[in-house]
Structures are given as C-alpha cells and as structure tokens.
Amino acid sequence: MSVRYGAWHGGPDPLEPPYDIRDALDEVGDDVLAGMSPRAALNRLLRRGAPGREGLDALRRKARERARELRRSGRLDGTLDQVRELLDQALEEERRALFPIPDDSARMAEAELDSLPNDTSRAVRQLADYQWRSPEARQTYDKIQDLLRSEVLDAQFNGMRDALQNASPEDLERIRQMMSALNDMLDADARGEHTPEDFAQFMQQYGDFFPENPANLEELIDTLARRAAAAQQLMDSLTAEQREELGNLMANALGQAGLADEMARLQQGLRSARPDLRWGGRSRMDGEQGMGYSDATGALAELADLDQLDELLGQDYPGASLDDIDEELIERALGRSAVEDMSQLRRIERELREQGYVQKGGDGLRLTPRALRRLGSTALRRVFDLVESRGRGAHDVRDAGAAGEVTGASREWRFGDEQPLDVVRTVRNAVLRSSGTALSLEAQDFEVVETERRSSAAIALLVDMSYSMELRGTWGEAKTTALALHSLVTTKYPQDAIEIIGFSDYARVMSPSALVDHDWDRVQGTNLQHGLMLARRHLDKHRGAEPVILVITDGEPTAHLAADGFADFAWPPTRETLAATLAEVERCTRTGATINVFMLDDDPRLVEFMQEVGRRNGGRVFQPKRGALGEFVVADYLSSRRGRRRAAG
C-alpha cells in the first residue's frame, strides 16, 4: 500500500499546538484587576490588537480616513455638468453651421435654438425632433444620450460603461433581455420558486455582464442592491432642481433605449429583496471636481460600507460580537490585510472561549472559574511581589494547608483526610497482611501522618463599592486585594472560611465572579451597618472558628437600614446612621469578632469615626498608601494566622 503526504487543506490543522493565549489573558486580567468588567477588558484588548497586528481602533481609523478621502473626492452633480457641456457644444456647432446660410429656414432654426428653455433636461428633450444642419452637432447631441445610458447602466451594473461604447440596437436589446430575465428571477425568488439551476442558466447566458462572478443569487442581489441604494442616496443628495433635471434626463435616455420599464422593475425588486439597506437619505460630498453618475454611485456605495464597518468596529451596541463583521465587507472597504488582522482578533476571542477562560452569559462575556483562579493567583502574586520589592521578605506559604506540624505518630487513613501518607507504615501493613509473594495495597493498609490541629478562622471581607471608590480610582486596588485574599485563603488555607461582602446603599454577598463582573451603578450611600450585619451571619455559620472582619472603605457611613428595611441615605451622615453603625460594631464585638479597618482616604470625619470603631472593638485601623492596600490586608491576615498557630501550640 502506497501512502502520499501533503499539506493539510481541511481547515484548522488538527495537529497544531494550542494557541498560546496567556499574553492575551494576562492583558485582560490586568484590566479587570484595574477595575474593568470582563467585557470591557476584552474589548480593550481587541481594540489594541495582537502584537504585529492592528486592532479594532486602528481598523476603525482606516475606515474613517478612507471615508474622509471619498467625501473630498468630488461633487455628485458631475453628470449634469457633462450634459450641459455637451449641449452647449452641440448648440455652438449648430449655430456656426447655420450662420452662413442665407435662407429663412436657417433664421427660424436659430430662433428655435434661442428659445430653448434653461432647464437642461427640457432642452435636451425638446431637441429630440430637431433637424440638425451640422453633422458634428448631431453627433455631439447623440453623445448626451449615450453618456446618460452608460452612466445609469454602469451605476447599476458595474463595468458596463466600456461595453456600451458604440453600442448597437442589438446590444441594447440584449441588455433589455438580461434585465427582464433578472427581474423574472427576482420575482421567482420572492415567491420561493427560485432554484440554483435557474441562476446557473442565467449566468451562463448573461454572465459577461457581471465581472464580480457572484456564486449565487444572494450575492448578486447584495451587489446590485447596494449600488441601487447608493444611487437613490445620490439623487436625494442633489438639490430639488438638480434632482428633477437629472431624473428627467435619465428617464428620457432609458426610454429611448427601451430600458425604462425594466429598470424601474429592477429597482422595486431590489428594494423588496433588501429592505435592510439605507434606501435614500442625503450624503455629503465636499470635493471640487464633478463626478459622473456611475462614479458617484460607486463612491456612495463604498461610503455606506465604511459607515457600516465603522459602527461594527465600535462594538458598542448590545450583543456586539466580532462575528457580526463580514469578511467581504472588510475586504471591500479596507483590503486583504485588514481581513487577516480581523481573523487574528477573532482567533483570540475564540481561543479564550475554547480554552475555557471566558463564556457568554445572558448579560455578555463572563470569566469562567478557571480564569478566576488564574486571576486570583495573579492578584496574590502581585501582592507578594510588592512585599518583596519593599524589602519585607516574601511570605512562604508552601507548608500551608489543612495539616499542621507533624507529631511523629500515625493513624489509619479515613475518607476525606488531607494529611500526608505514612508510606513506610502503609507498605508494612500490606506486607503483614499478604500471605504470598505478591504484594498489593488495599484501603485498609493506608496510614497517614498525624499533625497538630490548626486553628481555623472565619473571615468576612467587606469591600466598599460606593461610587466614590470609582471616582477616586481606588476600586481596582480594592478588587485586586479582595481577589488576592480570596485566592490565598481558598488555595493555601482551606480550613479558613472567607466571604466577600460588597456594600454601597445596600450590602450583598459577592462571589469572586460577581466581584469581577461588577459594573458601576451611580448610587449614593456607604451602608457599613448592613455590611456588618451580613458579616455576623457569616461568622455565625462558623462558630468554632476565630471571627475576623476586614473592612476596606474610603468614606464614613452615609446610609443605614431604617425600621422599614429600606436604606436611609444622608450626607453629611446623620446621627441615626452613625449610631446604627456603631451599634452593629458593638454586636460584632460581643461575638468576639475582631474588626480591622483599611482606610483609603484621609478625610478627618472618616478617620475620627474609624478610630471610634477601633476603640470600641479593639481592632486596628490602617491607612495604607496608594498601591499598598493588598500588602497591608494580606500581611495582616498572615500575621493573625501565625498568632493563632502559636496560640494553638
């Protein structure tokens, strides 16, 4: 059997190593830790782009620059100027021919020319039956009809202008037959009767009119409808007088060629097939040079593509996705390199999903538990790096876990044990139990090393989420600190129980995912009282653990729960709010909870109130500098653990 090897052509290479998404994920994580939502962080990554590739912002700038160039490229009334020039030239040539003729018929002809209306379209129509004396003038006048026919047909069927040069009546009849067959196909499609065989037969007969070589009727309709919509925008952008003049000229030229009815039918069919396009409306063109009808239509069609692409690249509408951006639209507007840039951005977004870091939820993109674990470890690493950079030494947590110091004794293994195995005694038990030479391990053989029982703690971390945290730029640091502490406790000290509580006008328990996804509501109120109430509920669930409450805030309490259960806000804070908050501090103190406060502002009222909290509770009050919050909170937690460990010993 012979085997042949070659390049893979079946889509993505199945043997290709997984795409390295770590750098992109770290960029997203940095922005999330700085206070952004996952959706906003991913959008920022996509706007910046991958290394060596342009992002959405750069592509959007290109689209806008190209749109500005197009708007400066010319005026929309160039065909009217051309018709007027040809008409003036024909009249001048005719008068030159009439001048030397001495009979009365020449004078009457001159009078007829002098009485022509100023309206170009009416003048052209009135000269349709005029008996020209000058062959050159007649030829120039005929150029007007040829120009109008070619401009209108080339505007609708791109590339037909060259084919219409010196067109014979037979050529115009074939165009009419093509338009009739196309209209019949559109009607059949509207009735649901169109088949691919019909399209193949049409292209076999009239494919030379369509250099784009569309693959199916849908592609053909898209191309024709875009140009038809642009042509309508062109007409709407002219003045009323210009619109009437040009409309009459085109109708007259198409009518003489027998194409007017089929063109009107085609316009209606395309409108029905693509009602989603912008049919009509004014467009601004600021150039000095007049553009022909076909060129102006092409420019407006390109402008419509660029405007649509600008909106899609902004990604600032509900449910926005890179999948909304059509590759053909990008290539038409910005070229092939932009398609490759977009493919790279799509791959980043796709790989983040496929590798399990993000998932789509009902309210947008969300980080998965896997991404949250990485984010938490990143936040914790940042805190420890900061500690080391300040010369305070690293916190060694390699021996952390449920087990304490080894006592030297061992016991039989029980389901759920996290202590290390005693390998020697396990193998000894298997040898003693076995009667033959073969040795096998069974569950009853396993023994674990006995360790000192470590004391556990119940930690309630209260994080201020009032709008002032965002305004002062402290929310990102508070979020990083909360994620770092949560990661440290859950991964290194699982016997401790931590709960994150966010508080603004009301307080609520927050998972790491909810903390990361949190977006800002411009609500007023710092309801520390409600936060302490939820903290007590958490501590009550872990009565055997040491109760610890950590509070991160930048302002004094300005809200409390009134008797009706609703938040009562006032600034400056009322005596009722301060009294209700201190009463909750007293309740926490009676349960044995230590309240340590980390202030992110030096407002005198905040400092005075928190010192009163420390006096009543016995906890400590810190005022870390900007950037040092994580260091203070994590170091305080680790310090308290060492104290509990010595006490237990």
Side-chain angles (χ1 to χ4, degrees), residues 80-266:
L80 277 176
D81 290 344
Q82 290 177 283
V83 171
R84 292 190 189 103
E85 290 175 5
L86 288 172
L87 179 61
D88 291 342
Q89 181 181 343
L91 293 176
E92 183 180 349
E93 291 170 345
E94 180 69 2
R95 287 191 176 97
R96 200 162 41 238
L98 290 172
F99 181 75
I101 301 176
D103 57 29
D104 292 339
S105 62
R107 304 289 78 76
M108 290 182 64
E110 288 176 339
E112 183 179 351
L113 296 181
D114 291 339
S115 64
L116 287 173
N118 293 327
D119 184 292
T120 305
S121 63
R122 291 172 58 197
V124 170
R125 188 165 59 250
Q126 192 166 319
L127 289 170
D129 299 325
Y130 177 77
Q131 299 299 317
W132 297 88
R133 305 292 182 92
S134 167
E136 293 83 3
R138 176 72 197 190
Q139 186 177 5
T140 302
Y141 175 79
D142 289 341
K143 286 181 180 179
I144 294 176
Q145 304 301 324
D146 294 339
L147 169 70
L148 290 169
R149 278 196 299 269
S150 65
E151 287 289 337
V152 174
L153 291 174
D154 192 66
Q156 183 60 81
F157 305 98
N158 188 29
M160 193 173 284
R161 180 186 298 158
D162 295 336
L164 286 172
Q165 289 183 356
N166 302 318
S168 65
E170 291 78 13
D171 294 331
L172 294 176
E173 174 59 21
R174 183 165 180 264
I175 292 174
R176 189 197 67 77
Q177 292 174 355
M178 178 273 293
M179 294 175 66
S180 178
L182 175 58
N183 286 324
D184 291 342
M185 194 161 53
L186 289 176
D187 291 343
D189 184 60
R191 296 191 303 269
E193 300 172 0
H194 171 73
T195 64
E197 291 75 18
D198 296 335
F199 179 78
Q201 184 178 355
F202 173 83
M203 289 299 293
Q204 185 177 3
Q205 190 171 0
Y206 301 111
D208 55 309
F209 289 111
F210 305 99
E212 300 94 345
N213 194 26
N216 49 48
L217 180 60
E218 184 179 359
E219 286 188 13
L220 178 59
I221 289 175
D222 182 68
T223 300
L224 296 179
R226 286 176 49 251
R227 294 186 69 84
Q232 184 60 55
Q233 290 179 37
L234 188 157
M235 297 299 291
D236 290 350
S237 301
L238 300 174
T239 65
E241 294 79 8
Q242 291 173 332
R243 186 161 52 248
E244 183 180 6
E245 270 192 81
L246 186 57
N248 290 335
L249 286 168
M250 293 189 302
N252 184 54
L254 292 176
Q256 290 185 7
L259 302 175
D261 292 342
E262 293 299 341
M263 180 62 78
R265 185 181 167 199
L266 177 60

